[in-house]
Amino acid sequence: PLFVLFGSSIVQFSYSNEGWGAILAHAYARKADIILRGYAGWNSRRALEVLDKVFPKDAAVQPSLVIVYFGGNDSTEPHPSGLGPHVPLPEYVENMKKIAMHLKGLSENTHVMFLSTPPVNEEQIPESIRKCGRTNEGCRIYSEACLKLCQEVDIKCIDLWTAIQQRDDWKTVCFTDGIHLSSEGSKLVGEEILKALAEEPSLCWRSLPTEFDEDSVYDPVDEEGKNINISN
């Protein structure tokens, strides 16, 4: 099976700092191919521009699962020049709906999961980035909009804004710079994703077959001379 992680920096950096992408890759080793399609700094508007290129409808193999995250950059405050990553909330919702519909239409077996906008620790954000107007309240608004949309279009959504803040020490342990996830933050995200995937037998890592797990004469041998299949 092919799993694709699609989103902005939360996705692009998901293999660093013991990230949640690496957690998934470890859990699904020899069970699924996990492909990274993360683009730091992107918003939902820019994602739409490449959607057909990243997920062509005529691809020979379509993904079994696509995990999508956009929203943090969209939620930044608008710049007077009209430039920058901000996307007004109604447009963000419409963009995410278009992404959802495109992905759901790839194949009958393609599952889609959205990650809502996680919180930020405003005090930890570097001054140069803080000027862009990234606030925890803005993240909450876009997170709730994403959750509401997913209910309407019947897509599983992980409420990261709420899940991360359930930790009493979330502000001090979950981020590297107030925005991007530390190993502890990623561990929480990975657990939430694996928990959600466990509810779908065709996607749960425990139920997927292991590649080349048949017994072999080349397996390690115990003291009695019997082969031990370590794949199982």
Side-chain angles (χ1 to χ4, degrees), residues 118-131:
V120 295
N121 178 5
E122 297 175 33
E123 298 174 359
Q124 190 184 5
I125 299 174
E127 181 63 27
S128 59
I129 300 177
R130 196 181 307 168
K131 292 178 180 179

Side-chain angles (χ1 to χ4, degrees), residues 1 3 15 20-35 194 197 203-213 230-232:
F3 292 2
Y15 275 72
W20 61 270
I23 292 172
L24 295 182
H26 175 70
Y28 284 89
R30 297 176 63 179
K31 293 174 177 287
D33 289 331
I34 299 182
I35 307 297
L194 289 173
L197 293 179
L203 298 176
C204 178
W205 69 272
R206 291 184 181 276
S207 60
L208 289 178
T210 301
E211 185 180 38
F212 304 128
D213 68 341
I230 61 175
S231 298
N232 298 321

Side-chain angles (χ1 to χ4, degrees), residues 12 25 49 88 97 130 155 180 187 213:
Q12 180 175 329
E49 295 177 357
K97 183 176 181 180
R130 196 181 307 168
I155 283 180
H180 300 103
K187 186 184 299 183
D213 68 341

